């Protein structure tokens, strides 16, 4: 296992009033609130009623280095697909990174999630040529309050590779650290993720999370497996760091594309 960053949105979630049995509460959430029917989303008619657009501070923002936000104007559609854009420009106090994200109105539980995506590149069209760039993180993931549940399909432009990470943070008053007691992660190397569409599959079951790319198993985790249902999130954001995501690439817009999202309950 190798260290991985966090895909999770920075927007705070409401905390539970009682902490007597987090596991029991989470299990009840699975039984009562998780989406129990197969669903399939495409973007031929925009977002519809299932999705919301994020408009807040993005992760990896640091004073003096990177002022990152998700902005609605960087969410649009082309050729019946969702297109998410990130742009980075110099500012008076660090880089200004404007990214894009959408998230579901409902939470989902155990089951199989499929995303047909092209990870972030400089191509403004879905099938145009384009390469990955430093300063870019694009991902599809599941997330609920301070990573009580989080499972990431996360592409880093500076590494031109994918990270498969799951989190189970039970200290809901704080963001989790990177210790192995809350997070399990693997790096998957594949140089074509930014210049081709691929089928990414995440299979979440009690006690395990598995990742597939085009039907091939690429990671299987049995520790830090979350329980509580979570939102589906699609996002692209900018970074400016020697660590997660890499240094900013200025004045070069980058785009991620999503053809479809599917969920099959366990």
């Amino acid at each position: 296992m190798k260290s991985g960053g966090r895909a999770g949105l920075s927007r705070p979630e409401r905390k539970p009033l009682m902490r007597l049995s987090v596991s029991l509460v989470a299990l009840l959430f699975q039984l009562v609130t998780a989406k129990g029917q197969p669903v399939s989303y495409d973007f031929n008619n925009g977002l519809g009623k299932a999705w919301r657009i994020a408009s807040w501070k993005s992760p990896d923002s640091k004073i003096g280095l990177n002022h990152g936000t998700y902005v609605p104007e960087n969410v649009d559609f082309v050729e019946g697909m969702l297109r998410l854009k990130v742009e980075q420009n110099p500012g008076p106090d660090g880089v200004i990174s404007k990214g894009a994200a959408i998230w579901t109105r409902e939470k989902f539980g155990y089951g199989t999630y499929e995303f047909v995506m092209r990870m972030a590149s400089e191509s403004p069209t879905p099938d145009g040529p384009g390469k990955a760039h430093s300063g870019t993180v694009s991902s599809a993931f599941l997330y609920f309050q301070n990573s009580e549940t989080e499972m990431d399909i996360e592409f880093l432009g500076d590494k031109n590779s994918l990270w498969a990470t799951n989190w189970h943070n039970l200290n809901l008053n704080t963001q989790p650290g990177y210790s192995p007691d809350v997070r399990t992660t693997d790096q998957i190397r594949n140089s074509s993720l930014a210049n081709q569409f691929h089928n990414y599959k995440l299979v979440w079951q009690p006690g395990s999370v598995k990742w597939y790319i085009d039907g091939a198993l690429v990671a299987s985790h049995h520790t830090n497996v979350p329980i509580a249902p979570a939102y589906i999130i699609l996002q692209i954001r900018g970074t400016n760091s020697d660590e997660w995501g890499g240094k900013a690439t200025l004045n070069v817009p980058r785009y991620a594309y999503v053809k479809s999202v599917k969920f099959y309950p366990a």
Side-chain angles (χ1 to χ4, degrees):
M1 293 186 298
K2 304 175 179 65
S3 62
R6 298 197 57 252
L9 299 181
S10 293
R11 185 186 190 212
E13 294 276 359
R14 290 183 296 176
K15 308 300 188 297
L17 296 177
M18 299 180 65
R19 298 284 305 282
L20 295 180
S21 177
V22 173
S23 296
L24 177 59
V25 171
L27 180 59
L28 290 173
F29 279 167
Q30 280 279 25
L31 294 174
V32 176
T33 67
K35 188 80 171 180
Q37 298 295 324
V39 295
S40 179
Y41 302 118
D42 60 38
F43 301 98
N44 288 307
N45 298 306
L47 295 181
K49 297 181 179 180
W51 299 88
R52 297 174 282 192
I53 298 177
S55 57
W56 52 76
K57 181 180 177 180
S58 61
D60 307 307
S61 295
K62 297 180 181 179
I63 295 174
L65 288 177
N66 187 44
H67 299 274
T69 56
Y70 295 118
V71 297
E73 57 265 32
N74 281 359
V75 176
D76 69 356
F77 307 90
V78 58
E79 298 181 25
M81 303 176 204
L82 173 70
R83 179 171 67 176
L84 303 173
K85 180 172 74 171
V86 66
E87 47 196 344
Q88 295 184 290
N89 298 288
D93 183 27
V95 173
I96 298 174
S97 298
K98 294 182 179 180
I102 65 170
W103 54 311
T104 54
R105 296 182 181 275
E106 297 191 62
K107 295 190 290 290
F108 298 80
Y110 295 133
T112 298
Y113 298 79
E114 292 187 6
F115 307 88
V116 178
M117 298 179 62
R118 177 179 174 177
M119 295 300 182
S121 78
E122 62 190 356
S123 174
T125 59
D127 297 314
K131 62 181 181 179
H133 284 277
S134 179
T136 318
V137 177
S138 51
S139 55
F141 64 105
L142 304 179
Y143 181 82
F144 182 61
Q145 61 178 5
N146 284 338
S147 300
E148 178 184 356
T149 293
E150 184 173 342
M151 288 161 283
D152 305 333
I153 301 168
E154 189 163 33
F155 178 77
L156 273 64
D158 64 324
K159 303 294 185 182
N160 200 20
S161 62
L162 192 81
W163 293 86
T165 308
N166 56 278
W167 307 70
H168 191 201
N169 176 36
L170 296 181
N171 184 3
L172 304 184
N173 293 315
T174 63
Q175 293 287 326
Y178 297 97
S179 62
D181 62 332
V182 295
R183 179 206 55 165
T184 306
T185 186
D186 277 298
Q187 183 180 14
I188 296 98
R189 299 188 181 279
N190 186 324
S191 61
S192 72
L193 303 184
N195 56 39
Q196 296 177 14
F197 280 91
H198 293 276
N199 182 294
Y200 300 89
K201 183 166 67 175
L202 186 153
V203 180
W204 177 23
Q205 298 176 322
S208 71
V209 190
K210 297 180 179 180
W211 286 259
Y212 298 80
I213 299 178
D214 299 328
L217 179 67
V218 295
S220 180
H221 296 169
H222 299 272
T223 56
N224 301 309
V225 178
I227 298 172
Y231 301 104
I232 301 172
I233 302 171
L234 308 170
Q235 71 93 48
I236 185 172
R237 69 181 187 270
T239 66
N240 186 30
S241 168
D242 289 328
E243 299 175 352
W244 196 247
K247 291 289 190 182
T249 298
L250 300 178
N251 305 312
V252 179
R254 283 139 276 160
Y255 306 85
Y257 298 90
V258 186
K259 287 184 179 180
S260 63
V261 177
K262 296 179 181 180
F263 168 68
Y264 305 93

